[in-house]
Amino acid sequence: MSIKKKVLITGGAGFIGSHVVRLFVKKYPNYHIFNLDALTYAGNLENLTDIEKAPNYTFIKGDITDENFIEKIFESHKFDSVIHLAAESHVDRSIKDPLAFVKTNVIGTMILLNAFKRCWSENFKDKLFYHISTDEVYGTLGDTGLFTESTSYDPNSPYSASKASSDHFVRAYGETYNLPYVISNCSNNYGQNQFPEKLIPLFINNIIHNKPLPVYGDGNYTRDWLYVKDHAIAIDLIFHNGKESETYNIGGFNEWKNIDLVKLLCTQMDTKLNRKKGSSEKLITFVKDRPGHDLRYAIDASKINKELGWKPSVTFEEGLEKTIEWYLNNEDWLNSVTSGSYKLYYQNQYS
Ligand code: NAD
Ligand code: DAU
């Protein structure tokens, strides 16, 4: 089969990246998908064992902050498009070590932009740099309102400041060098293969082991949750049909206060684990709040809905159930990622 496109996906061994890689490898046999990942604590090739031998898939272990290496792989493979997901992604870690976030999320993105620009600057026809970003760049909402594509950037955490900075650089390369780009800003994802430092998988793991569920502050913070496979579908649509130089917001139309979400999770876990009703809820423990904790995120996803016909395909209750089932059926995965350095992280974060 003749190869139509060479697509570089960065961060493809991580949570969202692995779902995007799988979707593209399976759906587009005439694309060659290169997955570039440094395999940090968050990257895991176990996420991709089902497609690792596919003829249109190549894994490249490497760091986006290694300029020489990135230049070389662009020279040898001449990627037509980049879908850039590699990042440090956890807000709590960014509070402890902000510089690591600047290095990967800002400098790493710059190095990719430079390599892409150098590779194609004479002819950007049919080329695309697709930058995956977050709704956190918009800062926080009060009790009402939604983030739209024209909401001003107002990031509050080192993580969101680093993502905002990388978004600005992508846009600046578009304006200055005509680099063809598109950006999407998505709300909180949940689903299979998410590293158990984030709320939902961390709480699933703690419920399994009858450990306390550390709810930050009073638990009245609101997030807009989206099933990860629906995010991957949105990325596919934007990659193929999104308008160049534009931004698309992606959200779940699905706002939950943390405390209500945790109670729903507890109820579903009690059922799945055949435990007495109410037993998981007893594990809820209110702990010290996250510094600079954003009160509420909620996305207005009407642009992607109207222009590209996208909407979430599963309800939150369905998605959460599938997620819980996956973690319960993949105990080896969960045990392997929660051994070793995870224990140290957990102790530092929660003791
Ligand atoms: P993740 O932490 O699960 O995965 C990140 C991946 O990037 C890992 O595989 C890691 O090994 C890789 N990586 C990290 N540093 C690297 C480097 N220097 N070089 C190469 N690879 C490196 O993250 P995720 O939750 O899947 O998020 C993916 C992207 O989506 C990020 O850009 C994030 O900002 C964005 N995003 C995430 C969410 C969410 O809810 N998780 C929502 C919106 C946007
Ligand atoms: O909005 C998109 C963002 O969503 C992504 O850009 C980030 O990469 C992703 O990590 C996520 O950020 P959040 O900070 O919203 O996700 P997290 O799962 O860390 O926390 C969700 C909410 O739960 C938040 O209000 C903090 C709270 N929380 C989290 C943890 C880990 C707790 O109360 N206790 C916890 O132990």
Side-chain angles (χ1 to χ4, degrees):
M1 185 176 302
S2 74
I3 288 296
K4 215 170 123 198
K5 267 186 203 297
K6 289 184 182 182
V7 183
L8 175 69
I9 300 184
T10 70
F15 167 47
I16 302 170
S18 60
H19 289 277
V20 177
V21 165
R22 177 176 298 101
L23 177 70
F24 273 67
V25 166
K26 288 192 164 173
K27 191 169 170 190
Y28 302 107
N30 58 346
Y31 291 1
H32 198 96
I33 306 303
F34 295 85
N35 170 12
L36 168 68
D37 199 297
L39 299 182
T40 67
Y41 77 92
N44 189 346
L45 289 178
E46 291 297 312
N47 295 347
L48 291 165
T49 45
D50 57 326
I51 54 104
E52 68 188 0
K53 293 201 169 72
N56 63 334
Y57 172 70
T58 303
F59 174 68
I60 304 172
K61 184 170 187 300
D63 191 325
I64 56 167
T65 67
D66 182 343
E67 196 169 1
N68 287 336
F69 172 76
I70 295 297
E71 290 290 340
K72 271 195 199 121
I73 61 166
F74 270 85
E75 256 167 49
S76 31
H77 296 294
K78 302 253 181 302
F79 309 113
D80 304 289
S81 338
V82 177
I83 306 180
H84 175 35
L85 295 109
E88 289 292 340
S89 69
H90 191 41
V91 173
D92 293 328
R93 289 185 194 254
S94 82
I95 295 166
K96 295 238 152 79
D97 183 11
L99 198 54
F101 284 67
V102 175
K103 284 182 186 152
T104 295
N105 299 358
V106 186
I107 314 258
T109 302
M110 291 286 297
I111 287 172
L112 285 171
L113 284 167
N114 281 339
F116 186 74
K117 171 175 161 279
R118 205 161 292 146
C119 190
W120 296 115
S121 59
E122 296 302 312
N123 182 9
F124 279 129
K125 190 172 174 302
D126 297 330
K127 309 291 180 284
L128 183 67
F129 191 100
Y130 180 0
H131 180 60
I132 305 296
S133 192
T134 168
D135 61 356
E136 300 202 10
V137 298
Y138 300 123
T140 187
L141 292 163
D143 290 333
T144 57
L146 298 171
F147 294 134
T148 71
E149 285 80 2
S150 55
T151 302
S152 302
Y153 277 31
D154 191 16
N156 290 315
S157 74
Y159 163 68
S160 51
S162 69
K163 291 296 291 186
S165 171
S166 62
D167 292 12
H168 288 319
F169 274 112
V170 173
R171 222 170 258 128
Y173 272 56
E175 289 296 319
T176 311
Y177 308 113
N178 295 319
L179 186 137
Y181 75 91
V182 66
I183 300 176
S184 56
N185 297 79
C186 188
S187 64
N188 286 62
N189 284 218
Y190 71 97
Q192 294 87 323
N193 307 97
Q194 187 168 31
F195 191 79
E197 61 186 351
K198 309 280 164 60
L199 180 74
I200 291 180
L202 188 141
F203 279 35
I204 291 175
N205 187 44
N206 284 14
I207 292 172
I208 293 171
H209 295 101
N210 272 308
K211 281 171 63 180
L213 306 177
V215 174
Y216 295 159
D218 59 7
N220 281 318
Y221 295 89
T222 299
R223 297 290 182 266
D224 174 355
W225 294 92
L226 177 67
Y227 190 51
V228 63
K229 291 187 185 187
D230 280 329
H231 188 187
I233 292 168
I235 289 173
D236 178 17
L237 278 173
I238 293 169
F239 179 80
H240 288 98
N241 304 322
K243 284 196 198 121
E244 213 178 283
S245 318
E246 296 233 353
T247 286
Y248 291 86
N249 279 355
I250 310 170
F253 303 95
N254 180 40
E255 286 184 54
W256 284 80
K257 281 200 164 122
N258 292 343
I259 190 64
D260 297 334
L261 182 159
V262 170
K263 285 182 180 164
L264 172 68
L265 180 68
C266 287
T267 306
Q268 290 202 359
M269 288 292 288
D270 284 346
T271 309
K272 295 280 172 208
L273 292 167
N274 290 319
R275 288 187 187 164
K276 206 171 138 226
K277 225 174 160 189
S279 51
S280 299
E281 257 194 59
K282 291 201 184 112
L283 299 169
I284 293 175
T285 313
F286 292 94
V287 300
K288 196 167 152 249
D289 212 345
R290 172 186 277 175
H293 200 165
D294 285 332
L295 178 68
R296 178 172 163 258
Y297 305 145
I299 283 274
D300 176 353
S302 51
K303 177 174 172 181
I304 182 171
N305 176 256
K306 280 193 199 116
E307 284 189 17
L308 305 180
W310 175 89
K311 63 175 188 326
S313 70
V314 293
T315 66
F316 188 52
E317 285 75 3
E318 285 164 354
L320 195 58
E321 200 178 334
K322 283 175 198 269
T323 305
I324 293 170
E325 276 166 9
W326 185 84
Y327 281 95
L328 293 178
N329 292 333
N330 287 275
E331 226 184 321
D332 289 350
W333 185 96
L334 197 51
N335 289 339
S336 99
V337 301
T338 52
S339 62
S341 61
Y342 181 81
K343 290 203 168 74
L344 196 61
Y345 165 77
Y346 198 92
Q347 205 182 333
N348 284 337
Q349 179 63 25
Y350 295 99
S351 63

